[in-house]
Amino acid sequence: MDTPKTTRKLRSTEWFGRQDKDGFAYRSWMKNQGLPHHVFDGRPVIGICNTWSELTPCNAHLREIAERVKRGVYEMGGFPVEFPVMSLGETLLRPTAMLFRNLASMDVEESIRGNPLDAVVLLVGCDKTTPSLMMGAASCDLPTLVVSGGPMLNGRFRNERIGSGTHVWKFDAMVKTGEMTTEEFMETEACMSRSVGHCMTMGTASTMACMVEALGMGLPGNAAIPAADSRRKALAHMAGRRIVEMVEEDLVPSKVLTREAFENAIRTNGAIGGSTNAVIHLLALAGRLGVEHSLDDWDQIGRDVPCLVNLMPSGDYLMEDFYYAGGLPAVLRKLGEAGLLHKEVLTVNGKTQWDNVQSAEVYDENVIFPTEKPFKEAGGIVVLRGNLAPDGAVLKPSAASPELMQHTGRAVVFEDIDDYKARVDSEELDVDASCVLVLKNCGPRGYPGMAEVGNMALPAKILKTGVTDMVRVSDARMSGTAYGTVVLHACPEAAVGGPLALVQNGDMITLDVAGRGLSVDIDEKTMEARRQAWKPIHPQATRGYVKMYQETVMQANEGADLDFLRGGSGADVPRDSH
Ligand code: FES
């Protein structure tokens, strides 16, 4: 083991450097793990914050990744300590993993602050694990480096690429229309999830891994190396080496996560055709750091960014192809050459973003398109406003149907998700393809947790006519693997009496993407009368975390963080008894 390299006064010395009874306790109990005395000699203590869990299958390989990080830390004379935090698995956790993003972030924040750590490596993968760990670490502001677990290998079914999530929606619709049998549907389960790693479409997990890299919080290449590729382990090893240097440099998140870094991330999201969920997570993360960042930034800064990356759900390829084609560094280089990147922002490897990406190459223009001939003209998230969403709603044009971008249709209203499930496939449902499906009470407070149900599957009787898209409006989120002309995150949400709550069957709704409008044709007098008659349809929780969540969660346009978690408390331990 190397000698420690840092010259800084370390935070961990407050624990392990003491020559009194407290110091005895701090060291002695650690020694029950077989640790020799010299690891307490003042070397940097590096926390490896692990979301490994067999209930989070996307992160189930992270113990192995942690071992690789440890190798790097040891090589550089650091002392690695791995610790678990709440892991949020998208597929199993009910009612929705998003309900617990803020809770997990609190776990992360207090685990880092309360322990003898000088820096931390965050091991993330599945959708909510990335923002929750970044939010918690940002509120402590110790040197932090993020290592994503990487995407699964390409799904493959009968020699066709199939993508996580995206093909579940497609195959489900095919079963409903009789184009696929239930047996074939079941056969695709194993074909879709062929290796360790997270969803390999450009869903939320891949988007957030790209955000990590675009924000400068991960090493170059972090986003796309497949989880099963040996180079993912090498990246983790190098992250372990680098975090020890970051202690010496005091390279903390607040030096990396600047306003310019967030602008880079917004533009990157447009270029990759990324998930709408990134909007909420980045708003919440910026809130932890006090960085000025609003919903409108997504439209204003991302508006003219061309979508370069041809990945499902908007396109044809998958993350494994993206890696072979050059990965995110190649996209960032293209943004830089187009004047759409703040080149001088600092990243965790100590270099500027431009230093990292300026020589990146594109190896397959079917996957990463040239800027002058993009995959889609507009990749950015559109922010809509109007009397149906005065505080904003979002739509992802790259996943929507061009012919529906300007549309007026009759509202078919579902009061909540149970109402939707009960009636959507009924032959009695009064709906045609020109209608607008409206789903209420699925926002942060209403669901609660703002589930990914906004991409409501179309009514069976519409699917049978061959129609594959309709305008849908809700206060919910949408899986990053989903697609369609779907208006999401309508604010204020129905459960707090937002205008969405007042829409009734037969009202005419207009979506005007070019004009950034979302309106319902109800005069103000009628709206006011409905407002007076409105009552919340669901009782609020009366105990536990969910009660606290419902009482303090902010609306989607502010990131749906808990109001008292805005800002950070730094790494100092309050009222320390020692
Ligand atoms: Fe974990 Fe998609 S379910 S990343």
Side-chain angles (χ1 to χ4, degrees):
M1 192 176 287
D2 273 349
T3 50
K5 296 229 168 103
T6 187
T7 57
R8 298 183 63 81
K9 177 166 178 354
L10 295 175
R11 184 173 180 271
S12 59
T13 308
E14 291 294 317
W15 282 260
F16 297 138
R18 294 165 73 145
Q19 305 303 315
D20 55 12
K21 81 168 175 18
D22 287 337
F24 176 98
Y26 297 139
R27 291 183 300 271
S28 174
W29 269 262
M30 287 295 278
K31 285 178 179 176
N32 80 352
Q33 300 177 82
L35 293 165
H37 187 74
H38 74 264
V39 299
F40 304 108
D41 63 0
R43 62 191 60 218
V45 180
I46 309 297
I48 302 172
C49 181
N50 201 343
T51 50
W52 166 84
S53 167
E54 290 179 343
L55 291 169
T56 306
C58 308
N59 297 19
H61 62 304
L62 292 185
R63 296 295 311 278
E64 170 69 18
I65 296 294
E67 290 304 318
R68 303 303 170 138
V69 175
K70 286 179 195 173
R71 289 187 189 185
V73 172
Y74 280 128
E75 273 181 7
M76 295 297 285
F79 170 25
V81 280
E82 182 185 353
F83 64 99
V85 287
M86 185 179 194
S87 185
L88 306 176
E90 204 61 34
T91 51
L92 300 180
L93 198 54
R94 294 183 179 184
T96 170
M98 181 63 177
L99 176 60
F100 306 110
R101 182 199 66 180
N102 303 332
L103 178 63
S105 80
M106 292 165 77
D107 177 358
V108 172
E109 176 178 346
E110 303 305 340
S111 295
I112 293 173
R113 182 179 299 116
N115 278 299
L117 304 177
D118 299 306
V120 64
V121 175
L122 309 178
L123 302 190
V124 299
C126 199
D127 297 12
K128 306 304 175 297
T129 58
T130 304
S132 58
L133 267 60
M134 289 178 79
M135 288 159 66
S139 289
C140 288
D141 210 25
L142 287 175
T144 300
L145 197 161
V146 185
V147 176
S148 302
M152 288 187 268
L153 297 174
N154 285 355
R156 208 83 184 160
F157 175 61
R158 299 183 180 171
N159 208 30
E160 295 289 327
R161 276 185 187 79
I162 59 170
S164 311
T166 303
H167 274 83
V168 182
W169 320 123
K170 281 199 176 136
F171 291 157
D172 180 50
M174 287 168 71
V175 171
K176 280 187 182 154
T177 56
E179 296 165 82
M180 179 180 255
T181 65
T182 304
E183 290 68 35
E184 287 170 323
F185 186 56
M186 299 298 167
E187 187 188 338
T188 64
E189 287 174 4
C191 305
M192 187 170 290
S193 305
R194 296 175 47 230
S195 79
V196 293
H198 60 68
C199 291
M200 79 318 251
T201 39
M202 188 52 84
T204 305
S206 300
T207 299
M208 290 310 295
C210 289
M211 295 296 95
V212 165
E213 199 169 329
L215 286 164
M217 288 296 291
L219 296 180
N222 174 72
I225 303 172
D229 193 305
S230 50
R231 287 164 286 188
R232 175 64 59 184
K233 291 176 184 153
L235 179 127
H237 187 132
M238 296 310 290
R241 289 180 61 89
R242 176 61 194 151
I243 190 70
V244 178
E245 295 174 343
M246 287 172 66
V247 175
E248 177 69 13
E249 296 165 15
D250 194 29
L251 184 46
V252 293
S254 57
K255 293 180 184 170
V256 175
L257 294 170
T258 58
R259 164 84 191 176
E260 288 73 25
F262 278 93
E263 292 187 1
N264 282 349
I266 290 171
R267 292 197 175 104
T268 301
N269 193 64
I272 61 174
S275 164
T276 47
N277 285 319
V279 178
I280 293 192
H281 298 324
L282 264 59
L283 285 166
L285 178 61
R288 296 297 181 99
L289 292 146
V291 171
E292 189 196 329
H293 181 25
S294 74
L295 180 62
D296 290 321
D297 289 337
W298 283 84
D299 203 312
Q300 283 157 15
I301 295 164
R303 175 182 300 227
D304 298 324
V305 178
C307 178
L308 304 179
V309 175
N310 177 12
L311 252 60
M312 296 178 204
S314 306
D316 304 315
Y317 292 92
L318 294 165
M319 287 298 282
E320 189 182 344
D321 307 302
F322 183 45
Y323 179 52
Y324 303 147
L328 197 71
V331 174
L332 292 173
R333 176 180 175 181
K334 289 197 165 292
L335 288 176
E337 288 170 345
L340 294 170
L341 189 79
H342 296 290
K343 295 179 176 175
E344 299 309 315
V345 292
L346 184 61
T347 73
V348 287
N349 70 352
K351 297 181 182 167
T352 67
Q353 190 63 273
W354 192 241
D355 285 340
N356 289 337
V357 304
Q358 61 184 324
S359 42
E361 299 279 347
V362 173
Y363 301 107
D364 187 347
E365 291 199 337
N366 294 313
V367 180
I368 303 175
F369 278 51
T371 326
E372 19 343 311
K373 203 166 147 282
F375 173 53
K376 296 196 177 184
E377 285 299 333
I381 303 285
V382 166
V383 176
L384 306 160
R385 285 179 197 277
N387 69 347
L388 194 45
D391 292 339
V394 302
L395 176 138
K396 180 175 166 182
S398 62
S401 302
E403 66 277 12
L404 290 174
M405 299 286 210
Q406 177 72 48
H407 182 81
T408 298
R410 172 170 63 86
V412 175
V413 175
F414 301 99
E415 292 299 327
D416 63 12
I417 191 65
D418 296 326
D419 182 30
Y420 165 79
K421 284 181 183 165
R423 294 193 296 121
V424 67
D425 289 333
S426 162
E427 277 300 318
E428 310 301 310
L429 188 69
D430 181 14
V431 66
D432 61 56
S434 72
C435 289
V436 174
L437 303 180
V438 175
L439 177 61
K440 304 178 182 177
N441 290 299
C442 292
R445 213 176 281 196
Y447 193 81
M450 203 179 180
E452 293 183 331
V453 292
N455 57 307
M456 300 162 254
L458 302 193
K461 71 190 214 185
I462 300 289
L463 286 171
K464 280 180 194 148
T465 66
V467 172
T468 56
D469 196 10
M470 289 170 71
V471 175
R472 290 156 265 180
V473 179
S474 76
D475 47 11
R477 295 178 304 114
M478 169 171 90
S479 164
T481 63
Y483 47 86
T485 310
V486 184
V487 178
L488 303 154
H489 312 182
C491 291
E493 63 174 299
V496 299
L500 190 70
L502 312 179
V503 177
Q504 296 181 359
N505 282 320
D507 290 341
M508 297 305 287
I509 290 177
T510 297
L511 169 65
D512 171 15
V513 174
R516 301 300 194 253
L518 180 68
S519 59
V520 56
D521 187 16
I522 315 174
D523 60 61
E524 192 38 52
K525 200 162 150 231
T526 309
M527 194 82 115
E528 186 51 37
R530 291 186 191 177
R531 194 173 287 123
Q532 293 303 327
W534 174 80
K535 285 192 185 62
I537 65 167
H538 294 129
Q540 301 277 293
T542 54
R543 72 167 296 280
Y545 168 73
V546 181
K547 177 178 189 311
M548 181 174 75
Y549 174 91
Q550 285 189 310
E551 288 173 356
T552 61
V553 71
M554 297 185 295
Q555 290 292 290
N557 61 323
E558 296 181 297
D561 203 357
L562 304 185
D563 57 13
F564 61 88
L565 291 174
R566 302 275 280 192
S569 303
D572 290 343
V573 180
R575 291 184 300 284
D576 194 352
S577 61
H578 299 286

